Amino acid sequence: MATILVTGGAGFIGSHLCAALLAQGNKVLCVDNLFTGSKKNIQGLDGDFEFIQHDIIDPLFIEEKVDQIYNLACPASPTHYQHNPIRTVKANTIGMMHMLGLARKHGARILQASTSEVYGDPREHPQQETYWGNVNPIGIRSCYDEGKRVAETLCFDYHREHNIEIRVARIFNTYGPNMAADDGRVVSNFIVQALAGKPITIYGTGKQTRSFCYVSDMVAGLLALMNSDERGPVNLGNPGEFTVLELAENIIALTNTKSEIVFQELPADDPQQRQPDITLANNKLGWQPTVQLEEGLKQTIAYFTKSQ
Ligand code: NAD
Ligand code: UDP
């Protein structure tokens, strides 16, 4: 079996990915600075697992031979990536270069966790991989959006210049157990608010849309992409598109809460609509999501109910 390095492995998606790689019998090296991730997410992991507390903005040296790298190290919630935007840019540039350098040294294949945010506030709907995006280069989301765009550029330049084997996944909004209660993203916010009987905070009118993918489907997509011949970028997400208001109504119904909805100011540059075209993932990876929103929300609500 392989030795696989997962950066951001103590985070939400990363912890599920580590679990899946361990279940396949791989050795997993989990690298995380614990900014948004937590040891709780990786505590129960079974198998050949090593945790390395490290910030990818600093160079990383690994002695044993690494076969594959999944690079997920980057805060994903607007609240967190805007907390120290310069560090967010550094993680996606300097950190990305460190991971590509590591891949080069080890002859390892590297998968970059990119994002639907590279499409910005999209003018094409649904978004295909061929769309170049509509991103504000100087706004409050730019540290993340432009950071992830330059990370993709670095992957392709390292591939062209140094023949590194790259895989680029464009991940659309993903949710599920192991999201942090204070993460700030919409699904965790609404569930935590509903369970506490507190007001559900909709930013703007709630007419903006997102397409929500359950984490087990996302992990299956990441594994399929890493082990395929497709370099990407490949969209990974659930094409089921919902308004934020519909999401709130779903969560209110499923939790049976008495929480009321309150409307708050829409943050700057908040994309109006988002839906992945997953034809490429379907054709090249034979992948498509299987967990629909209601089922995924039930699992996530059960997780937050237990962990509160
Ligand atoms: P998360 O915040 O739960 O996980 C990120 C992990 O990276 C955390 O454990 C954090 O401590 C760690 N980290 C952050 N900066 C680091 C650094 N400089 N060095 C080392 N570790 C660092 O978020 P997530 O939702 O699990 O996202 C994982 C990856 O997937 C991120 O790269 C994110 O951009 C990408 N992504 C996620 C989504 C989503 O909806 N969840 C959507 C698009 C892209
Ligand atoms: N959102 C909201 N209330 C919240 C958190 C988020 O209405 O408490 C909205 C947010 O403005 C955005 C959508 O939900 O339109 C998704 O936000 P999230 O931060 O989860 O993801 P992203 O905007 O990065 O897709």
Side-chain angles (χ1 to χ4, degrees):
M1 282 287 139
T3 299
I4 303 180
L5 192 141
V6 179
T7 77
F12 157 51
I13 300 177
S15 57
H16 290 276
L17 180 62
C18 287
L21 292 168
L22 287 168
Q24 293 177 340
N26 299 295
K27 170 161 194 181
V28 173
L29 308 174
C30 167
V31 170
D32 203 298
N33 68 355
L34 299 180
F35 173 45
T36 53
S38 86
K39 283 203 174 160
K40 191 182 84 174
N41 285 343
I42 50 173
Q43 238 156 30
L45 290 183
D46 241 3
D48 198 351
F49 180 76
E50 196 179 316
F51 175 68
I52 303 165
Q53 186 159 351
H54 176 86
D55 193 312
I56 63 159
I57 295 172
D58 300 320
L60 177 65
F61 301 98
I62 302 282
E63 267 178 33
E64 64 185 297
K65 166 100 172 59
V66 172
D67 302 303
Q68 293 182 341
I69 302 171
Y70 287 86
N71 186 38
L72 275 65
C74 177
S77 157
T79 317
H80 294 305
Y81 70 63
Q82 287 163 15
H83 171 73
N84 190 334
I86 296 168
R87 284 195 79 84
T88 302
V89 174
K90 282 186 181 170
N92 283 306
T93 51
I94 300 169
M96 184 79 245
M97 283 192 265
H98 286 150
M99 290 309 110
L100 286 161
L102 194 76
R104 187 179 177 200
K105 196 167 153 193
H106 286 255
R109 183 179 286 183
I110 181 166
L111 182 148
Q112 166 61 1
S114 188
T115 169
S116 53
E117 291 283 329
V118 299
Y119 302 123
D121 192 2
R123 297 285 181 261
E124 264 185 30
H125 194 73
Q127 293 80 53
Q128 293 183 329
E129 291 85 351
T130 46
Y131 179 49
W132 288 358
N134 174 42
V135 175
N136 176 359
I138 57 166
I140 56 170
R141 292 176 86 96
S142 315
C143 59
Y144 184 78
D145 299 7
E146 296 289 24
K148 289 282 186 179
R149 285 168 68 95
V150 95
E152 287 197 9
T153 307
L154 284 166
C155 287
F156 279 84
D157 281 331
Y158 269 72
H159 168 67
R160 282 185 288 256
E161 267 199 46
H162 301 304
N163 216 15
I164 307 291
E165 276 204 70
I166 56 158
R167 300 288 180 267
V168 175
R170 290 187 178 154
I171 299 174
F172 284 64
N173 296 64
T174 302
Y175 70 100
N178 292 3
M179 291 184 98
D182 64 353
D183 183 69
R185 278 177 281 185
V186 69
V187 174
S188 48
N189 267 11
F190 286 1
I191 292 178
V192 170
Q193 290 162 348
L195 291 177
K198 293 198 172 137
I200 304 225
T201 54
I202 290 189
Y203 304 158
T205 59
K207 288 191 183 137
Q208 69 271 35
T209 66
R210 293 293 186 275
S211 302
F212 300 101
C213 185
Y214 191 63
V215 66
S216 57
D217 283 332
M218 183 53 60
V219 167
L222 293 171
L223 294 173
L225 175 59
M226 175 64 106
N227 296 298
S228 75
D229 294 330
E230 180 60 38
R231 200 172 292 137
V234 177
N235 288 341
L236 293 178
N238 189 323
E241 185 184 5
F242 297 86
T243 66
V244 167
L245 186 60
E246 284 168 338
L247 177 73
E249 285 163 349
N250 262 303
I251 291 174
I252 288 171
L254 291 170
T255 54
N256 209 12
T257 182
K258 295 200 166 46
S259 294
E260 52 168 6
I261 289 178
V262 295
F263 292 89
Q264 299 183 347
E265 201 181 332
L266 186 71
D269 297 332
D270 200 281
Q272 275 309 301
Q273 53 179 5
R274 184 181 289 159
Q275 184 190 34
D277 181 321
I278 59 163
T279 310
L280 187 65
N282 210 332
N283 289 345
K284 299 281 184 178
L285 315 179
W287 175 86
Q288 61 181 31
T290 58
V291 182
Q292 293 317 312
L293 186 66
E294 186 173 326
E295 178 53 29
L297 286 179
K298 281 185 186 161
Q299 304 281 346
T300 314
I301 290 166
Y303 167 78
F304 279 110
T305 306
K306 215 166 58 186
S307 62
Q308 270 182 354

